[in-house]
């Protein structure tokens, strides 16, 4: 089964009833890949994304029309590690831990097999190396694949492009899921690499965590931009049925849309109306010595400052578990300023962003 252009994210469901109706409608629209994890929407062993996906697929015919994926991680969801957490699929290193989490996923979904499985939230070389140790994560995954429990191995990561490319050069993964959207384009070199090496790219956060949906023009441009990449798949975290209809309409009208990527980006700049110099999220400043994804941080800042979207600041605050968004850890070393192809005054921009995004919080601003 060929992967559809738009695929189904299950991280943001509000409850079981809406989850089941959204999944069925999305499959009926031709979206044929489901991305879930043990931790998504987790309330209990019976109330979580995996269980809801499984219940949606019980109705006749739905399982045969969709590719199902799940994942687990040797890390803690960020840049570090944690004790083994079976329920949420974190801290999974040893073979017996992997077996336990994988069996849990099949039981929750009431399935005998999956189609894809992912090395999840693996953002650093240390996390990757732990997964690759003998009789640990990767060896356990390969044993399950050999038994026919899934067929495709993927990688889900927020690491910078150079780090992800080093992961992919091992030849172990056929798919990679990364944050990528019209404002946060730091992974463009990685997208190019994958296109040349026949690796599927699944773009998560296509609407910047829902922020781009706050402006109708930006929302459309976000879809149009990602749809312009022939080998890229768009992972949409649906929360309502009208969102499924909208995604289907964007897909159906894509062949008639004539604007190029450069034209789309020019329109985006005009919608975010300001003559001030702004970070475009190109990613050329990475890697940062403090592991900060400067482009991703400043994408929130741009939405907050230039689009006057308070949701941008709230989302940024809620995501401070992601070490890549810890802009307060900037040491102003100048690495990003030297690398910036647009010669932006990043020291002053970052200071302004810190003041705006961390205002009224108990965080020390340098």
């Amino acid at each position: 089964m060929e992967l559809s252009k738009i695929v189904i994210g299950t991280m943001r469901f509000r409850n079981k009833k809406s989850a089941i109706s959204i999944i069925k409608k999305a499959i009926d629209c031709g979206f044929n890949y489901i991305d879930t994890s043990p931790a998504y929407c987790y309330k209990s062993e019976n109330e979580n994304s995996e269980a809801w996906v499984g219940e949606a697929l019980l109705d006749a015919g739905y399982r045969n029309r969709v590719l199902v994926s799940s994942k687990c991680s040797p890390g803690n969801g960020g840049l570090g590690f944690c004790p083994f957490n079976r329920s949420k699929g974190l801290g999974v290193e040893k073979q017996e831990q992997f077996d336990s989490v994988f069996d849990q996923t099949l039981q929750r979904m009431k399935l005998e097999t999956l189609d894809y499985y992912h090395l999840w939230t693996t953002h650093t070389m240390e996390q990757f190396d732990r997964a690759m140790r003998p009789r640990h994560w990767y060896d356990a995954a390969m044993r399950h694949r050999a038994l026919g429990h899934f067929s495709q191995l993927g990688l889900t990561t927020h690491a910078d492009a150079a780090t992800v490319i080093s992961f992919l050069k091992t030849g172990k993964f056929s798919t990679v899921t990364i944050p990528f959207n019209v404002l946060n384009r730091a992974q463009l070199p990685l997208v190019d690499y994958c296109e040349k090496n026949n690796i599927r790219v699944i773009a998560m956060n296509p609407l910047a965590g829902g922020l781009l949906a706050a402006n109708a023009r930006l929302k459309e441009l976000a879809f149009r931009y990602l749809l312009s990449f022939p080998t890229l798949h768009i992972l949409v975290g649906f929360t309502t049925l009208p969102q499924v209809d909208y995604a289907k309409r964007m897909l159906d009208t894509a062949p008639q849309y004539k604007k190029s990527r450069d034209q789309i980006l020019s329109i985006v700049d005009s919608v975010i109306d300001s003559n001030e110099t702004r970070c475009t999220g190109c990613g050329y400043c990475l890697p940062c010595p403090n592991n900060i994804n400067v482009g991703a941080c400043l994408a929130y800042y741009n939405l907050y400052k230039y689009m006057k979207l308070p949701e941008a600041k709230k989302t940024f605050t809620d995501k401070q578990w992601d070490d890549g968004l810890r802009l307060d850890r900037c040491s102003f070393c100048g690495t990003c300023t030297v690398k910036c192809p647009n010669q932006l005054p990043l020291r002053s921009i970052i200071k302004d962003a810190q003041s705006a995004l961390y205002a009224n919080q108990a965080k020390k601003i340098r």
Side-chain angles (χ1 to χ4, degrees), residues 277 279 282-289 292 294-295 298 330-351:
T277 54
C279 172
C282 69
Y284 287 107
C285 63
L286 299 174
C288 164
I292 300 167
V294 177
L298 295 184
C330 177
S331 61
F332 300 97
C333 65
T335 299
C336 56
T337 303
V338 171
K339 293 181 179 180
C340 179
N342 298 314
Q343 299 182 329
L344 298 179
L346 286 174
R347 281 192 178 93
S348 61
I349 291 174
I350 290 172
K351 286 181 179 179

Side-chain angles (χ1 to χ4, degrees), residues 38 45 86-87 99-108:
E45 285 305 301
R86 180 175 187 260
S87 294
D99 293 344
S100 178
V101 171
F102 194 92
D103 290 346
Q104 170 186 259
T105 288
L106 294 181
Q107 290 167 13
R108 286 178 179 178

Side-chain angles (χ1 to χ4, degrees), residues 42-312:
Y42 184 84
K43 299 177 183 177
S44 70
E45 285 305 301
N46 297 318
E47 293 295 318
N48 55 74
S49 173
E50 288 184 323
W52 298 343
V53 168
E55 189 160 342
L57 298 181
L58 286 175
D59 281 1
Y62 278 100
R63 174 64 183 100
N64 295 331
R65 295 160 58 192
V66 72
L67 300 164
V68 182
S69 75
S70 195
K71 50 208 174 190
C72 66
S73 174
N76 64 354
L79 298 181
F81 299 92
C82 66
F84 175 55
N85 184 330
R86 180 175 187 260
S87 294
K88 296 189 176 181
L90 298 173
V92 182
E93 295 191 42
K94 298 179 181 180
Q95 184 167 305
E96 59 269 24
Q97 294 172 339
F98 184 102
D99 293 344
S100 178
V101 171
F102 194 92
D103 290 346
Q104 170 186 259
T105 288
L106 294 181
Q107 290 167 13
R108 286 178 179 178
M109 292 190 180
K110 299 180 175 64
L111 297 177
E112 294 183 0
T113 62
L114 304 177
D115 300 289
Y116 284 72
Y117 204 74
H118 290 251
L119 177 57
W120 181 36
T121 63
T122 299
H123 312 312
T124 70
M125 189 58 69
E126 184 182 5
Q127 290 173 330
F128 185 83
D129 288 343
R130 282 206 193 184
M132 297 299 146
R133 288 189 296 183
R135 297 179 297 282
H136 280 63
W137 196 101
Y138 179 75
D139 283 352
M142 290 301 94
R143 188 172 69 84
H144 281 272
R145 188 166 76 170
L147 292 170
H149 296 164
F150 69 92
S151 58
Q152 300 291 324
L153 185 67
L155 171 70
T156 300
T157 177
H158 290 248
D160 63 89
T163 300
V164 181
I165 288 172
S166 72
F167 296 161
L168 297 179
K169 282 184 175 179
T170 63
K172 299 182 185 299
F173 306 97
S174 61
T175 304
V176 63
T177 303
I178 56 171
F180 186 63
N181 59 60
V182 72
L183 291 181
N184 180 12
R185 305 187 292 273
Q187 299 287 18
L188 263 174
L190 172 59
V191 174
D192 292 340
Y193 173 87
C194 290
E195 185 171 345
K196 294 173 183 175
N197 289 275
N198 197 32
I199 298 172
R200 296 183 184 278
V201 176
I202 298 175
M204 58 177 155
N205 297 327
L207 297 176
L211 293 176
L212 294 171
N215 179 283
R217 190 66 173 130
L218 284 177
K219 180 181 179 181
E220 178 180 357
L221 291 168
F223 273 96
R224 299 301 187 192
Y225 178 73
L226 293 176
L227 285 168
S228 73
F229 290 85
T231 60
L232 186 143
H233 306 270
I234 307 170
L235 178 63
V236 184
F238 296 113
T239 58
T240 67
L241 293 175
Q243 291 172 355
V244 181
D245 290 327
Y246 183 89
K248 182 67 162 59
R249 186 164 68 253
M250 290 294 102
L251 181 62
D252 289 345
T253 58
Q256 291 79 47
Y257 192 78
K258 302 304 181 185
K259 290 183 172 60
S260 68
R261 276 180 222 158
D262 287 342
Q263 289 173 319
I264 292 171
L265 296 177
S266 178
I267 298 170
V268 169
D269 286 341
S270 70
V271 172
I272 304 178
D273 186 19
S274 170
N275 291 324
E276 293 183 39
T277 54
R278 298 190 304 275
C279 172
T280 63
C282 69
Y284 287 107
C285 63
L286 299 174
C288 164
N290 294 311
N291 296 313
I292 300 167
N293 187 329
V294 177
C297 293
L298 295 184
Y300 288 103
Y301 172 62
N302 290 341
L303 288 170
Y304 180 71
K305 180 175 181 179
Y306 301 111
M307 294 296 297
K308 312 299 182 186
L309 294 177
E311 298 93 341

